[in-house]
Amino acid sequence: MKSEVMSTKKTENSIRSAQNFKLEGQILDSIPFGSGHINDTFKITTDSTNYNLYLLQRINHHIFQDVHGLMNNIEMVCNHLKEKLAHLGDKEVQKRTMTIVQTHDDKNYYQDDRGDYWRVFHLIPDTRSYDILETQEQAFSGGMAFGQFQKQLSDLDPKKIVEILPNFHNIEFRLNNLRDAITKNPVNRVIEVQDLLDYIFEREDKMRTILELGRANKLPLRITHNDTKFNNVLLDKDDNVQCVIDLDTVMPGYVAYDFGDAIRTIINSAAEDEADVSKIVLNIPLFQSFTAGYLSEAKDFLTETEVESLIPAVHLLPYMQAVRFLTDYINGDTYYKIAYPEHNLVRTKAQLKLVHELEVNNEKLTDILAENLMSN
């Protein structure tokens, strides 16, 4: 009964917030929508005969503290993408990128009297997303989507974009956090994970490769997505690319980070928190398809050094995730939600097993990348 009351209040609050935006028609319904874990999302239906579906979100301002900068980033990126698509003669621009709905006083977000922040997008019809890849065709579409996204933004000045989450993919920062956790050792867990720490620190220098290339100005800073999970790509009913979504983490960065994180999420044959690490093997066909799709778009603008950074990023991103999970475990599980006491430890071991599998298969992955460069 209590959960029903809370759900009703949430719905009423979402409708009240949605009324502050320039929606077509009267609001008929508001229902929770999607599988995201950070922002509260609702599908808003109106009685408009022209456009009647909207996506309302309450922004998690505890994570995204600069809401003004966040929304300006998204608006700038969306407008740039629309201009690019229109220039290319795309007649379905509104379906190819996200569209922000303004408030009645022409702002791109609304703050209510409780201090919560809200935004509205057009809900793109006749699309679907997948939490888990099912086919090589989907993998190709996902790679194409993120390659196209980076290419279309390659001429937008990264200095215009606010760094919403500083040091998000900075491995030096993540390792310093780990060392700080080891020093403090608040719940006396360091002694039980020494073998994992040894494994991590043995690879530290190699994992700095992309960061050092960037600092030496050998990698261009570009506008990147920074959360390239497959469910952040919308596909049409035939699994063709429609739109890249969830632009909260769009920031200046290196293209390799997007490529590496996408591969991290699709190449693992098991779950991110698989306790039986023997089940963690590489799905090479999905790597091949994603890489082919990505390079079919990205090859046009990537520098030679950027191409050379892609495979190191494939190793780096699961390594970095392992560092973050282990840091949280040593700190007493203060950041990630856990289902049981050893959850972050299990996650760490699973990511490090993935790193091992990638190292064993490094030559094969490198060859696949080279073959796709030649064929695209």
Side-chain angles (χ1 to χ4, degrees):
M1 184 67 179
K2 184 178 179 181
S3 62
E4 290 179 6
V5 171
M6 290 182 66
S7 178
T8 300
K9 286 184 177 179
K10 251 187 175 182
T11 299
E12 291 173 352
N13 194 29
S14 68
I15 292 175
R16 189 161 53 249
S17 298
Q19 289 169 340
N20 290 276
F21 293 84
K22 295 178 181 179
L23 309 184
E24 293 189 27
Q26 298 298 311
I27 297 173
L28 298 178
D29 195 14
S30 170
I31 59 173
F33 186 78
S35 57
H37 300 298
I38 295 177
N39 303 312
D40 292 331
T41 304
F42 303 86
K43 181 170 77 171
I44 301 292
T45 305
T46 73
D47 62 4
S48 170
T49 55
N50 180 38
Y51 201 95
N52 68 341
L53 293 176
Y54 298 90
L55 195 72
L56 169 75
Q57 289 186 313
R58 181 170 62 180
I59 303 168
N60 187 332
H61 62 277
H62 301 291
I63 293 178
F64 303 113
Q65 297 180 13
D66 181 5
V67 174
H68 182 75
L70 171 77
M71 291 306 300
N72 284 347
N73 280 357
I74 295 174
E75 186 167 33
M76 189 180 302
V77 164
C78 289
N79 288 344
H80 188 83
L81 292 173
K82 289 180 191 300
E83 289 173 8
K84 270 298 179 68
L85 291 165
H87 180 72
L88 292 171
D90 195 318
K91 296 180 180 179
E92 294 189 315
V93 171
Q94 298 299 322
K95 294 183 178 180
R96 302 294 187 191
T97 188
M98 300 174 71
T99 300
I100 297 173
V101 178
Q102 301 289 320
T103 64
H104 291 299
D105 54 356
D106 295 316
K107 294 181 179 178
N108 52 28
Y109 65 90
Y110 162 73
Q111 185 177 17
D112 64 24
D113 54 9
R114 297 187 304 178
D116 287 331
Y117 296 85
W118 299 82
R119 65 186 176 198
V120 172
F121 298 100
H122 281 177
L123 187 63
I124 302 173
D126 304 318
T127 59
R128 55 187 176 181
S129 64
Y130 298 87
D131 289 327
I132 299 173
L133 271 169
E134 297 174 357
T135 68
Q136 286 181 246
E137 290 74 21
Q138 292 169 1
F140 184 91
S141 290
M144 179 182 284
F146 286 119
Q148 189 178 81
F149 180 82
Q150 290 180 345
K151 181 172 72 173
Q152 291 172 344
L153 294 173
S154 62
D155 60 346
L156 179 59
D157 186 356
K159 293 178 183 177
K160 294 182 178 180
I161 301 296
V162 176
E163 189 178 15
I164 293 298
L165 299 173
N167 295 308
F168 189 59
H169 281 145
N170 184 333
I171 188 56
E172 191 171 82
F173 172 77
R174 299 301 182 186
L175 287 166
N176 286 342
N177 286 346
L178 177 58
R179 286 192 168 92
D180 185 55
I182 293 168
T183 299
K184 293 177 180 176
N185 195 18
V187 289
N188 299 311
R189 287 177 170 174
V190 170
I191 193 171
E192 66 177 280
V193 297
Q194 194 58 56
D195 58 331
L196 302 178
L197 292 170
D198 291 343
Y199 188 93
I200 285 170
F201 290 124
E202 283 170 7
R203 286 155 178 78
E204 177 177 357
D205 289 343
K206 182 174 73 172
M207 296 299 178
R208 293 175 185 267
T209 298
I210 295 172
L211 193 63
E212 290 172 353
L213 284 171
R215 285 174 173 168
N217 294 318
K218 294 180 180 179
L219 287 176
L221 199 64
R222 300 193 188 272
I223 296 170
T224 50
H225 188 278
N226 296 296
D227 188 16
T228 48
K229 298 189 301 288
F230 188 67
N231 61 7
N232 282 334
V233 174
L234 294 184
L235 304 178
D236 66 18
K237 59 182 178 59
D238 298 316
D239 285 340
N240 296 313
V241 177
Q242 194 75 43
C243 178
V244 171
I245 60 172
D246 197 354
L247 306 183
D248 288 334
T249 53
V250 167
M251 292 181 288
Y254 303 119
V255 295
Y257 292 153
D258 276 2
F259 183 80
D261 206 26
I263 297 302
R264 182 185 75 84
T265 61
I266 69 171
I267 202 170
N268 192 347
S269 61
E272 188 177 66
D273 57 356
E274 175 56 60
D276 182 359
V277 295
S278 68
K279 294 180 180 179
I280 297 173
V281 295
L282 305 188
N283 191 322
I284 299 294
L286 291 185
F287 174 83
Q288 153 67 31
S289 296
F290 183 93
T291 301
Y294 176 76
L295 290 175
S296 71
E297 294 287 340
K299 184 184 175 184
D300 292 345
F301 76 93
L302 292 178
T303 67
E304 185 176 341
T305 307
E306 283 180 304
V307 171
E308 293 170 355
S309 72
L310 296 180
I311 294 298
V314 169
H315 295 266
L316 171 64
L317 270 295
Y319 172 89
M320 191 181 311
Q321 196 59 57
V323 169
R324 296 181 67 187
F325 285 143
L326 188 57
T327 301
D328 198 33
Y329 182 70
I330 292 172
N331 279 332
D333 309 304
T334 59
Y335 185 80
Y336 292 106
K337 291 180 181 179
I338 57 171
Y340 51 92
E342 295 80 27
H343 200 172
N344 273 322
L345 183 59
V346 167
R347 288 165 167 158
T348 302
K349 291 178 179 179
Q351 290 298 292
L352 292 181
K353 176 58 161 50
L354 181 56
V355 171
H356 171 75
E357 291 296 316
L358 290 164
E359 289 177 346
V360 169
N361 289 276
N362 183 67
E363 186 175 348
K364 184 182 295 185
L365 301 179
T366 303
D367 288 345
I368 290 172
L369 181 70
E371 289 166 7
N372 278 287
L373 280 168
M374 295 293 291
S375 62
N376 275 296

